[in-house]
Amino acid sequence: MAARRRVMLLVAVVLSLPGFIHSFQPLFSFDGNSSTHRDITQKAVLRKTAEVCRDIAASEGRDFSLTIDDSLSADKVQRACSTTGTSLLSTVLFQTSIANMYFSNAKVDVVFALSEEHHFDDETFQGGRDIITAGVSAVKASVKLESFVAGRWTLGQVCHTLQDFYSHSNWVELGNNAPYSTLIKPDQPLGNLADLSTPTCRNCTGGNCENNLLPDLLQQGLLTSGYFNIFSSAKPAGKCSHGGSFDKTSEQDPVGGINKDNVGSSHGSFHHKAADLAVNATLELLEDIRVAVGDKNFLRLMGLSQSSVLCFVIDTTGSMSDDIAEAKRVSFDIIDSKRGTQQEPSAYILVPFNDPGFGPLIMTTDADVFKDSINKLSASGGGDIPELCLSGLQLALTAAPQSSEIFVFTDAPAKDAHLKSAITALIESTKSVVTFMLTDVLASRRRRRNPQGGSPRSMSQSDAQLYRDLARASGGQAIEVTKSDLSLATSVIEDSSASAVVTIFQVVRNPGRPDHFTFAVDGSLRNITAYITGASSLTFNLTSSTGISQSSSQSSGPLASFTTAGNLRRLSLNTDNQTGSWQIIVNSNNPYSVKVTGQSSVNFIYNLVEAHEGAHGDFSLKEGRPLSGGNASLLVSVTGSDTVKVTEVTLVDSSGPTEVNGSLQSLGSGNFLVTFSGVPTGDFVVRLRGEDSSSTSRSTPSSFQRQASTQIKTSSIAVTAQANNTNIEPGSTISIPFTVATTTSGVVNDSATGTFTVRANNDRSFTSTSPSTVAIAAGTGGKANGTITLTAPASAASGTDVTVTIEAENAAATDINYAVLRFSVVAKVTDITRPVCQVVSTSTNCPSSSSLCASSQWEFIANLTDGINGTGIESVTIRQGNGTLNTSTVAGAGGKNITVATYSASCCSQNVELAVVDRVGNVGKCLGQVRESTTAAPVTTVNTSTTTTSSGGHTLSISHCLWISAVVALLWK
């Protein structure tokens, strides 16, 4: 273990060195002319998503006019894929999902920096291919269990390795213009590889490496890749090096390198061709996954969603019968009113909890399944009053897509309050908004007896504060009402389920004080709603951009109508194109919150990133909290508009006057790298301001403002953790080394000492071990190390995702930071062969004249099997053809199951392609085709009657001069 820690420390040191990255740049190209892993991944995802939408539209008889090329944007694709023409369409979920994939792609350069297999260095073609095929199997298993977040994370990592092949090998120099498909086909041999004793390169001349590949290598078409080592110059005799200032092997004969990572690399003249092939290879990989999981699940994996999920976490103890009934009512109203429309929820999530249990989590895209599940909830028991609320919420946070809104119904304290920091970490990591519907919080003064005869239910103000804190961290609300008034408060759920909801402004004052707040209304906003929570004594005044005012004494006035339920005031604003600066004045000395939302296609997403310094350095996703007093960087992307000019990105203290302005660097296409210097201790939210010139009715642009919901907290503790694998086999244990450090002004304090409390938690209740504390001793460089183990049960289904949070808290319990890691449970796949297709027969009575084709049918029959050791056929679908497919299962020789596929179609549709998928996602295809022939088929007598004859195991049916040739093969994607 000590040796491993030394290696991990060495890797950390190496990654901090300038210019270490040795692949396509992960995220940004600062030379302005090179492609990055982010570019390649985004292009492939957008193109493949558009292709799937185009094919779905064609099958449904709808038009699809989008041109599919490298100029696509998420907004263009989402609008083209939309089944309605609404202008209110949010691309936040889609762009967030794409970002997840390219961030996990970039993370490979951090976590697996020195792994030759992950980068196809050192001629490790078999090892690289194994990483790709194992990863693809893991993605398919995740999708099968609807673990889309884990699937995206794995997919991004797989894409990195696949894309590096084209930059690090000589595939491009060999003259290949198509991807090396064998890399995603585990049952096909890797051929024509240069062996260890074969020289591959000669010295570059004067720094020019254009012709350093040996002519014999190119003539024989042998495949090689460059060797890379940052510590030693040793490499096999005559072998190519990767190249670059950090590659020591490039200093030994043959000197130089062959990488094509950017236009300035050793083989930089081939960079753009390598990048294009990497895009096409990624498309090929995505197509294989698409066929295996189906179009609908593929689009969910890509994150293409026209609306948010509807997610409820519900207390099911005895006193909750009224709350369950209200949750049922409001969810059914949403489902029934929006079914079949653009605003229909993209998925439904339900997590029940009580004591001593919580779950199971139910996630479905079928509204009727959700209805049935919530119908089955019943209120019973109650026991000792506190319930496992946070355990249920933890399941929802790790299952729901990022930036989801989750609603929690309860009237009891949390028995698992120790999970508060883990829940906060998940909220910050997923940027999900959590709103609590708390009933009878004041029951300490008006105690309510459990209808089941148990102890009286009560939630004190201190109990409720836990929920208020979590709501505040997420940008949600803690709505406190009586059970009789709950139906008045659930309007916020219906508001959030509308399409393209954005946050314009949000603030919390705790402790409370009278204050005034301004927010900008732009021309794209519709249906603006303000929510104010606070004590009953709170008063407010609303003023429009034209100077008209309305006070809280007017429930209906010139600017808004509002309702009150418990501590919530909901204001529905009558903006009537009153763009400009609005103001809310709140008068209260008690804690309160103000939140203003609206509907608009224009929004933004952001992610914390951390820099690898140096002229050729880059960035990767930063996990955990930024360091107090240090610098922080955000990648900000504006969604839904190309007419917004961003002028300011600010970190705003959510409870005070502090603001930190960022320095903007435009990366094009609405993307900005924003750098903040010396971020002080505090809780911040990201606010974006600018100008929107989209309206044609105004001569000057309108002010534009959006605000993120989730808080960004700073910390003086640094927590880093990484495992050498993100997949766990059922029944196995994985070790997760982690490091804790104390920082000063964002830099590790080498002389610091101290003891930290460590808490490790996972959302699946898997067996785990971890130290309860770690201590930083003198002379350790201000760092302490530890190891956590996680064991997946042998019974865990392949594709199960598990999220681990590692928290470190200082001795005074005043500061905390965390790391969040995601793993997939993946059973080892032994079935790597694809289903076998054998034609049984084809028959036709198609006329020779195409004008008469509609009156006749042809038929195609094939037997489909999955081999002796196969896992069995799971699905057969029509990939091409307008006919009808029927399947049945029969027993073959030796008891082997045979799936009989029978396809029939009009003679006007003369081709069929069937996709055959086995239970682990291996994909095979059968092709059938009708074609005319001017000569008779061999071993066939042609006459005016139908004759059936067998040839080569294929049954052919000929009528007149037209015959069918079933061109059937097992094709691999």
PDB file of all heavy atoms in Angstrom, residues 33-56:
ATOM      1  N   ASN A  33      -6.671  26.103 -33.582  1.00  0.00           N
ATOM      2  CA  ASN A  33      -6.732  25.370 -34.843  1.00  0.00           C
ATOM      3  C   ASN A  33      -6.682  23.860 -34.651  1.00  0.00           C
ATOM      4  O   ASN A  33      -6.620  23.122 -35.622  1.00  0.00           O
ATOM      5  CB  ASN A  33      -5.584  25.812 -35.760  1.00  0.00           C
ATOM      6  CG  ASN A  33      -5.793  25.389 -37.194  1.00  0.00           C
ATOM      7  OD1 ASN A  33      -6.920  25.312 -37.673  1.00  0.00           O
ATOM      8  ND2 ASN A  33      -4.694  25.080 -37.877  1.00  0.00           N
ATOM      9  N   SER A  34      -6.677  23.390 -33.411  1.00  0.00           N
ATOM     10  CA  SER A  34      -6.591  21.959 -33.159  1.00  0.00           C
ATOM     11  C   SER A  34      -7.900  21.449 -32.566  1.00  0.00           C
ATOM     12  O   SER A  34      -8.615  22.187 -31.886  1.00  0.00           O
ATOM     13  CB  SER A  34      -5.440  21.643 -32.188  1.00  0.00           C
ATOM     14  OG  SER A  34      -4.198  22.024 -32.742  1.00  0.00           O
ATOM     15  N   SER A  35      -8.213  20.186 -32.834  1.00  0.00           N
ATOM     16  CA  SER A  35      -9.406  19.555 -32.283  1.00  0.00           C
ATOM     17  C   SER A  35      -9.083  18.923 -30.932  1.00  0.00           C
ATOM     18  O   SER A  35      -7.986  18.390 -30.731  1.00  0.00           O
ATOM     19  CB  SER A  35      -9.938  18.482 -33.232  1.00  0.00           C
ATOM     20  OG  SER A  35     -10.406  19.055 -34.438  1.00  0.00           O
ATOM     21  N   THR A  36     -10.026  18.988 -30.021  1.00  0.00           N
ATOM     22  CA  THR A  36      -9.853  18.413 -28.694  1.00  0.00           C
ATOM     23  C   THR A  36     -10.779  17.214 -28.518  1.00  0.00           C
ATOM     24  O   THR A  36     -11.685  16.978 -29.320  1.00  0.00           O
ATOM     25  CB  THR A  36     -10.182  19.457 -27.616  1.00  0.00           C
ATOM     26  OG1 THR A  36     -11.596  19.746 -27.684  1.00  0.00           O
ATOM     27  CG2 THR A  36      -9.391  20.738 -27.811  1.00  0.00           C
ATOM     28  N   HIS A  37     -10.553  16.460 -27.427  1.00  0.00           N
ATOM     29  CA  HIS A  37     -11.473  15.370 -27.106  1.00  0.00           C
ATOM     30  C   HIS A  37     -12.892  15.910 -26.930  1.00  0.00           C
ATOM     31  O   HIS A  37     -13.862  15.238 -27.295  1.00  0.00           O
ATOM     32  CB  HIS A  37     -11.030  14.671 -25.816  1.00  0.00           C
ATOM     33  CG  HIS A  37      -9.929  13.679 -26.015  1.00  0.00           C
ATOM     34  ND1 HIS A  37     -10.107  12.496 -26.697  1.00  0.00           N
ATOM     35  CD2 HIS A  37      -8.634  13.680 -25.608  1.00  0.00           C
ATOM     36  CE1 HIS A  37      -8.976  11.813 -26.693  1.00  0.00           C
ATOM     37  NE2 HIS A  37      -8.063  12.505 -26.046  1.00  0.00           N
ATOM     38  N   ARG A  38     -12.997  17.106 -26.387  1.00  0.00           N
ATOM     39  CA  ARG A  38     -14.321  17.708 -26.219  1.00  0.00           C
ATOM     40  C   ARG A  38     -14.980  17.958 -27.570  1.00  0.00           C
ATOM     41  O   ARG A  38     -16.162  17.649 -27.771  1.00  0.00           O
ATOM     42  CB  ARG A  38     -14.176  19.020 -25.437  1.00  0.00           C
ATOM     43  CG  ARG A  38     -15.437  19.836 -25.300  1.00  0.00           C
ATOM     44  CD  ARG A  38     -15.202  20.999 -24.337  1.00  0.00           C
ATOM     45  NE  ARG A  38     -16.247  21.994 -24.421  1.00  0.00           N
ATOM     46  CZ  ARG A  38     -16.193  23.099 -25.165  1.00  0.00           C
ATOM     47  NH1 ARG A  38     -15.094  23.340 -25.886  1.00  0.00           N
ATOM     48  NH2 ARG A  38     -17.178  23.953 -25.184  1.00  0.00           N
ATOM     49  N   ASP A  39     -14.222  18.512 -28.511  1.00  0.00           N
ATOM     50  CA  ASP A  39     -14.759  18.759 -29.855  1.00  0.00           C
ATOM     51  C   ASP A  39     -15.206  17.453 -30.514  1.00  0.00           C
ATOM     52  O   ASP A  39     -16.300  17.358 -31.078  1.00  0.00           O
ATOM     53  CB  ASP A  39     -13.700  19.412 -30.746  1.00  0.00           C
ATOM     54  CG  ASP A  39     -13.253  20.768 -30.243  1.00  0.00           C
ATOM     55  OD1 ASP A  39     -14.073  21.480 -29.645  1.00  0.00           O
ATOM     56  OD2 ASP A  39     -12.067  21.101 -30.436  1.00  0.00           O
ATOM     57  N   ILE A  40     -14.327  16.452 -30.458  1.00  0.00           N
ATOM     58  CA  ILE A  40     -14.587  15.178 -31.133  1.00  0.00           C
ATOM     59  C   ILE A  40     -15.816  14.506 -30.551  1.00  0.00           C
ATOM     60  O   ILE A  40     -16.701  14.033 -31.281  1.00  0.00           O
ATOM     61  CB  ILE A  40     -13.342  14.268 -31.025  1.00  0.00           C
ATOM     62  CG1 ILE A  40     -12.181  14.868 -31.830  1.00  0.00           C
ATOM     63  CG2 ILE A  40     -13.651  12.856 -31.492  1.00  0.00           C
ATOM     64  CD1 ILE A  40     -10.832  14.248 -31.519  1.00  0.00           C
ATOM     65  N   THR A  41     -15.884  14.456 -29.217  1.00  0.00           N
ATOM     66  CA  THR A  41     -17.011  13.800 -28.561  1.00  0.00           C
ATOM     67  C   THR A  41     -18.312  14.529 -28.847  1.00  0.00           C
ATOM     68  O   THR A  41     -19.340  13.908 -29.165  1.00  0.00           O
ATOM     69  CB  THR A  41     -16.766  13.728 -27.038  1.00  0.00           C
ATOM     70  OG1 THR A  41     -15.530  13.035 -26.801  1.00  0.00           O
ATOM     71  CG2 THR A  41     -17.896  13.026 -26.324  1.00  0.00           C
ATOM     72  N   GLN A  42     -18.285  15.842 -28.747  1.00  0.00           N
ATOM     73  CA  GLN A  42     -19.503  16.626 -28.962  1.00  0.00           C
ATOM     74  C   GLN A  42     -20.005  16.494 -30.395  1.00  0.00           C
ATOM     75  O   GLN A  42     -21.215  16.337 -30.634  1.00  0.00           O
ATOM     76  CB  GLN A  42     -19.232  18.090 -28.611  1.00  0.00           C
ATOM     77  CG  GLN A  42     -20.464  18.955 -28.561  1.00  0.00           C
ATOM     78  CD  GLN A  42     -20.217  20.245 -27.800  1.00  0.00           C
ATOM     79  OE1 GLN A  42     -20.751  20.453 -26.726  1.00  0.00           O
ATOM     80  NE2 GLN A  42     -19.396  21.116 -28.354  1.00  0.00           N
ATOM     81  N   LYS A  43     -19.100  16.542 -31.360  1.00  0.00           N
ATOM     82  CA  LYS A  43     -19.505  16.379 -32.761  1.00  0.00           C
ATOM     83  C   LYS A  43     -20.175  15.026 -32.985  1.00  0.00           C
ATOM     84  O   LYS A  43     -21.235  14.935 -33.633  1.00  0.00           O
ATOM     85  CB  LYS A  43     -18.288  16.497 -33.685  1.00  0.00           C
ATOM     86  CG  LYS A  43     -17.786  17.903 -33.919  1.00  0.00           C
ATOM     87  CD  LYS A  43     -16.568  17.892 -34.835  1.00  0.00           C
ATOM     88  CE  LYS A  43     -16.013  19.290 -35.048  1.00  0.00           C
ATOM     89  NZ  LYS A  43     -14.803  19.274 -35.925  1.00  0.00           N
ATOM     90  N   ALA A  44     -19.568  13.976 -32.461  1.00  0.00           N
ATOM     91  CA  ALA A  44     -20.112  12.633 -32.675  1.00  0.00           C
ATOM     92  C   ALA A  44     -21.471  12.469 -32.002  1.00  0.00           C
ATOM     93  O   ALA A  44     -22.407  11.914 -32.589  1.00  0.00           O
ATOM     94  CB  ALA A  44     -19.132  11.575 -32.163  1.00  0.00           C
ATOM     95  N   VAL A  45     -21.595  12.961 -30.775  1.00  0.00           N
ATOM     96  CA  VAL A  45     -22.867  12.832 -30.052  1.00  0.00           C
ATOM     97  C   VAL A  45     -23.971  13.586 -30.773  1.00  0.00           C
ATOM     98  O   VAL A  45     -25.088  13.070 -30.947  1.00  0.00           O
ATOM     99  CB  VAL A  45     -22.710  13.331 -28.604  1.00  0.00           C
ATOM    100  CG1 VAL A  45     -24.068  13.493 -27.936  1.00  0.00           C
ATOM    101  CG2 VAL A  45     -21.849  12.363 -27.804  1.00  0.00           C
ATOM    102  N   LEU A  46     -23.691  14.808 -31.205  1.00  0.00           N
ATOM    103  CA  LEU A  46     -24.715  15.594 -31.889  1.00  0.00           C
ATOM    104  C   LEU A  46     -25.116  14.952 -33.214  1.00  0.00           C
ATOM    105  O   LEU A  46     -26.310  14.878 -33.545  1.00  0.00           O
ATOM    106  CB  LEU A  46     -24.211  17.020 -32.113  1.00  0.00           C
ATOM    107  CG  LEU A  46     -24.038  17.877 -30.847  1.00  0.00           C
ATOM    108  CD1 LEU A  46     -23.409  19.225 -31.205  1.00  0.00           C
ATOM    109  CD2 LEU A  46     -25.370  18.094 -30.150  1.00  0.00           C
ATOM    110  N   ARG A  47     -24.145  14.476 -33.971  1.00  0.00           N
ATOM    111  CA  ARG A  47     -24.466  13.855 -35.254  1.00  0.00           C
ATOM    112  C   ARG A  47     -25.267  12.578 -35.074  1.00  0.00           C
ATOM    113  O   ARG A  47     -26.274  12.352 -35.762  1.00  0.00           O
ATOM    114  CB  ARG A  47     -23.174  13.590 -36.042  1.00  0.00           C
ATOM    115  CG  ARG A  47     -22.611  14.837 -36.718  1.00  0.00           C
ATOM    116  CD  ARG A  47     -21.269  14.592 -37.368  1.00  0.00           C
ATOM    117  NE  ARG A  47     -21.253  13.453 -38.281  1.00  0.00           N
ATOM    118  CZ  ARG A  47     -20.169  13.045 -38.938  1.00  0.00           C
ATOM    119  NH1 ARG A  47     -19.008  13.696 -38.754  1.00  0.00           N
ATOM    120  NH2 ARG A  47     -20.219  12.030 -39.765  1.00  0.00           N
ATOM    121  N   LYS A  48     -24.845  11.727 -34.146  1.00  0.00           N
ATOM    122  CA  LYS A  48     -25.555  10.461 -33.969  1.00  0.00           C
ATOM    123  C   LYS A  48     -26.956  10.689 -33.401  1.00  0.00           C
ATOM    124  O   LYS A  48     -27.919  10.029 -33.816  1.00  0.00           O
ATOM    125  CB  LYS A  48     -24.761   9.526 -33.061  1.00  0.00           C
ATOM    126  CG  LYS A  48     -25.380   8.138 -32.872  1.00  0.00           C
ATOM    127  CD  LYS A  48     -25.703   7.449 -34.204  1.00  0.00           C
ATOM    128  CE  LYS A  48     -24.454   7.172 -35.030  1.00  0.00           C
ATOM    129  NZ  LYS A  48     -24.782   6.452 -36.290  1.00  0.00           N
ATOM    130  N   THR A  49     -27.079  11.626 -32.471  1.00  0.00           N
ATOM    131  CA  THR A  49     -28.407  11.933 -31.934  1.00  0.00           C
ATOM    132  C   THR A  49     -29.322  12.432 -33.039  1.00  0.00           C
ATOM    133  O   THR A  49     -30.493  12.033 -33.124  1.00  0.00           O
ATOM    134  CB  THR A  49     -28.292  12.985 -30.816  1.00  0.00           C
ATOM    135  OG1 THR A  49     -27.431  12.502 -29.784  1.00  0.00           O
ATOM    136  CG2 THR A  49     -29.660  13.286 -30.220  1.00  0.00           C
ATOM    137  N   ALA A  50     -28.804  13.301 -33.892  1.00  0.00           N
ATOM    138  CA  ALA A  50     -29.608  13.810 -35.009  1.00  0.00           C
ATOM    139  C   ALA A  50     -29.994  12.684 -35.960  1.00  0.00           C
ATOM    140  O   ALA A  50     -31.131  12.642 -36.459  1.00  0.00           O
ATOM    141  CB  ALA A  50     -28.827  14.898 -35.753  1.00  0.00           C
ATOM    142  N   GLU A  51     -29.087  11.762 -36.211  1.00  0.00           N
ATOM    143  CA  GLU A  51     -29.399  10.636 -37.094  1.00  0.00           C
ATOM    144  C   GLU A  51     -30.522   9.780 -36.525  1.00  0.00           C
ATOM    145  O   GLU A  51     -31.424   9.342 -37.248  1.00  0.00           O
ATOM    146  CB  GLU A  51     -28.152   9.773 -37.312  1.00  0.00           C
ATOM    147  CG  GLU A  51     -27.100  10.405 -38.203  1.00  0.00           C
ATOM    148  CD  GLU A  51     -25.825   9.575 -38.268  1.00  0.00           C
ATOM    149  OE1 GLU A  51     -25.853   8.418 -37.791  1.00  0.00           O
ATOM    150  OE2 GLU A  51     -24.818  10.079 -38.780  1.00  0.00           O
ATOM    151  N   VAL A  52     -30.475   9.535 -35.221  1.00  0.00           N
ATOM    152  CA  VAL A  52     -31.531   8.733 -34.586  1.00  0.00           C
ATOM    153  C   VAL A  52     -32.873   9.453 -34.693  1.00  0.00           C
ATOM    154  O   VAL A  52     -33.895   8.846 -35.029  1.00  0.00           O
ATOM    155  CB  VAL A  52     -31.176   8.440 -33.112  1.00  0.00           C
ATOM    156  CG1 VAL A  52     -32.335   7.754 -32.405  1.00  0.00           C
ATOM    157  CG2 VAL A  52     -29.922   7.584 -33.026  1.00  0.00           C
ATOM    158  N   CYS A  53     -32.878  10.755 -34.422  1.00  0.00           N
ATOM    159  CA  CYS A  53     -34.120  11.519 -34.545  1.00  0.00           C
ATOM    160  C   CYS A  53     -34.633  11.523 -35.979  1.00  0.00           C
ATOM    161  O   CYS A  53     -35.844  11.437 -36.221  1.00  0.00           O
ATOM    162  CB  CYS A  53     -33.904  12.946 -34.057  1.00  0.00           C
ATOM    163  SG  CYS A  53     -33.638  13.096 -32.281  1.00  0.00           S
ATOM    164  N   ARG A  54     -33.727  11.623 -36.937  1.00  0.00           N
ATOM    165  CA  ARG A  54     -34.120  11.588 -38.353  1.00  0.00           C
ATOM    166  C   ARG A  54     -34.777  10.253 -38.695  1.00  0.00           C
ATOM    167  O   ARG A  54     -35.821  10.205 -39.361  1.00  0.00           O
ATOM    168  CB  ARG A  54     -32.885  11.797 -39.233  1.00  0.00           C
ATOM    169  CG  ARG A  54     -33.135  11.717 -40.732  1.00  0.00           C
ATOM    170  CD  ARG A  54     -31.832  11.480 -41.467  1.00  0.00           C
ATOM    171  NE  ARG A  54     -31.217  10.218 -41.057  1.00  0.00           N
ATOM    172  CZ  ARG A  54     -29.926   9.908 -41.283  1.00  0.00           C
ATOM    173  NH1 ARG A  54     -29.135  10.798 -41.868  1.00  0.00           N
ATOM    174  NH2 ARG A  54     -29.448   8.741 -40.901  1.00  0.00           N
ATOM    175  N   ASP A  55     -34.189   9.157 -38.217  1.00  0.00           N
ATOM    176  CA  ASP A  55     -34.741   7.837 -38.523  1.00  0.00           C
ATOM    177  C   ASP A  55     -36.088   7.631 -37.845  1.00  0.00           C
ATOM    178  O   ASP A  55     -36.997   7.007 -38.415  1.00  0.00           O
ATOM    179  CB  ASP A  55     -33.757   6.746 -38.083  1.00  0.00           C
ATOM    180  CG  ASP A  55     -32.467   6.777 -38.891  1.00  0.00           C
ATOM    181  OD1 ASP A  55     -32.431   7.461 -39.930  1.00  0.00           O
ATOM    182  OD2 ASP A  55     -31.480   6.132 -38.462  1.00  0.00           O
ATOM    183  N   ILE A  56     -36.231   8.133 -36.623  1.00  0.00           N
ATOM    184  CA  ILE A  56     -37.514   8.023 -35.935  1.00  0.00           C
ATOM    185  C   ILE A  56     -38.574   8.829 -36.685  1.00  0.00           C
ATOM    186  O   ILE A  56     -39.714   8.376 -36.884  1.00  0.00           O
ATOM    187  CB  ILE A  56     -37.393   8.505 -34.473  1.00  0.00           C
ATOM    188  CG1 ILE A  56     -36.533   7.537 -33.660  1.00  0.00           C
ATOM    189  CG2 ILE A  56     -38.773   8.650 -33.835  1.00  0.00           C
ATOM    190  CD1 ILE A  56     -36.242   8.008 -32.252  1.00  0.00           C
TER     191      ILE A  56
END
